[in-house]
Amino acid sequence: MSDSWPRRRLLAILRGTNEPLDAQELARITGQHVTTVRFHLDVLTRESLVRQFQQPPRGRGRPRIGYSAVQRSVGYQDVAQVLADQLGPDPRRRSEAAIAAGRAWGTRLAASDHRVESLEDAKEVTMTLMSELGFAPERDPASWDEDRALIRLTACPLRELARTHSEVVCGVHRGLIEGLFDRPGARGAIEVGMHPFVEPELCVARLEMAAPRCDSIQETVTVPVAGVAEMLTAPSARVAPQLRNADPHLAKQSAQQW
């Protein structure tokens, strides 16, 4: 549009009206000659800043050409793209930052009066929220048992961005679900996994009961010291929870595990 005050003024007028205006109406508003107005409107049209519409004639004559400003908006996809690009080059750090952000988001979204104390609670809360956010979740009853559940996410709102920034997008979504359970009575009880693109248009969320943790298993040993047996304790290593074998429904899942 260059540095043209007349064109900026025409564009501002068109953005402030709900209906298309023709060149004569704009000439009357601006005080410019109608030929000059048409020249500026042609430039704005070529730059895709305004759009032309055919309008009925006033009385007899040819149809009029009306003009309306092209409204531009910034959507969720655009904002997510900008943020994803600013998380740095290290995929691991990008993933960690995304999970932390998603967890904070999920904590804010969680209903304070709904405690998550079992896998059944976790399934219901996850299905409800992901449905509200547009993921079109589907239950996979064949994979559900008392220890684990798989939820099929068939409509990710950021699917195209996830194809190029999966560590960010899927990390946020994993953290989002984790945040739902990050409350008294549930912290550490449910483990969340996100399996992106197990099929071209399908991702899968995994909810699993965490294995019991033993933070301080002690062993009693007898050691002779100067003829006297003293009892010593030696702390053993922390026992890490083990994930179950891969479910057959995820035979095609991504090798990347979240």
Side-chain angles (χ1 to χ4, degrees):
M1 191 166 61
S2 70
D3 190 19
S4 171
W5 164 249
R7 288 197 283 276
R8 288 202 301 271
R9 186 181 180 194
L10 286 172
L11 191 57
I13 293 170
L14 292 173
R15 284 174 174 165
T17 184
N18 295 326
E19 297 181 356
L21 299 176
D22 64 18
Q24 291 184 345
E25 291 171 317
L26 290 166
R28 186 172 60 254
I29 295 171
T30 62
Q32 300 179 75
H33 192 278
V34 66
T35 302
T36 303
V37 169
R38 287 196 178 102
F39 167 77
H40 291 309
L41 290 171
D42 287 343
V43 174
L44 292 171
T45 301
R46 289 196 300 270
E47 294 180 350
S48 299
L49 295 173
V50 302
R51 186 174 298 137
Q52 297 182 0
F53 297 88
Q54 192 173 71
Q55 296 179 297
R58 292 192 180 96
R60 296 181 180 179
R62 294 180 301 177
R64 297 176 298 133
I65 301 299
Y67 297 85
S68 180
V70 174
Q71 301 297 328
R72 302 182 185 276
S73 62
V74 177
Y76 181 27
Q77 179 90 16
D78 302 302
V79 174
Q81 176 76 62
V82 171
L83 295 177
D85 290 339
Q86 298 303 310
L87 289 180
D90 186 339
R92 182 180 181 84
R93 291 188 177 183
R94 288 159 61 87
S95 175
E96 291 172 350
I99 292 172
R103 190 178 292 118
W105 182 20
T107 301
R108 289 196 299 271
L109 292 178
S112 59
D113 59 344
H114 190 165
R115 292 172 63 88
V116 178
E117 299 178 330
S118 68
L119 183 60
E120 190 63 33
D121 291 338
K123 290 186 292 189
E124 293 306 316
V125 169
T126 302
M127 288 288 296
T128 298
L129 178 67
M130 300 311 275
S131 179
E132 292 174 352
L133 293 179
F135 286 82
E138 295 179 353
R139 302 169 184 267
D140 187 359
S143 70
W144 288 23
D145 56 35
E146 61 182 10
D147 296 321
R148 181 177 58 168
L150 301 181
I151 297 175
R152 297 160 55 89
L153 306 176
T154 65
C156 175
L158 292 177
R159 179 175 293 153
E160 294 309 312
L161 182 59
R163 297 188 194 281
T164 56
H165 295 76
S166 63
E167 75 283 0
V168 175
V169 176
C170 301
V172 168
H173 294 158
R174 169 186 163 179
L176 170 64
I177 298 174
E178 289 180 350
L180 299 176
F181 315 139
D182 192 9
R183 68 186 82 182
R187 186 179 181 88
I190 306 293
E191 291 183 347
V192 179
M194 186 66 69
H195 305 273
F197 299 113
V198 298
E199 294 179 7
E201 307 297 325
L202 174 68
C203 298
V204 173
R206 186 188 76 251
L207 307 180
E208 192 163 7
M209 293 297 296
R213 294 178 180 271
C214 299
D215 293 334
S216 57
I217 299 176
Q218 292 187 334
E219 298 174 353
T220 302
V221 295
T222 302
V223 181
V225 178
V228 180
E230 295 185 355
M231 305 301 293
L232 303 178
T233 60
S236 66
R238 184 185 298 271
V239 179
Q242 302 297 319
L243 296 179
R244 298 163 63 96
N245 292 333
D247 190 273
H249 290 274
L250 296 179
K252 299 180 181 179
Q253 73 183 32
S254 166
Q256 183 179 12
Q257 300 294 317
W258 295 94

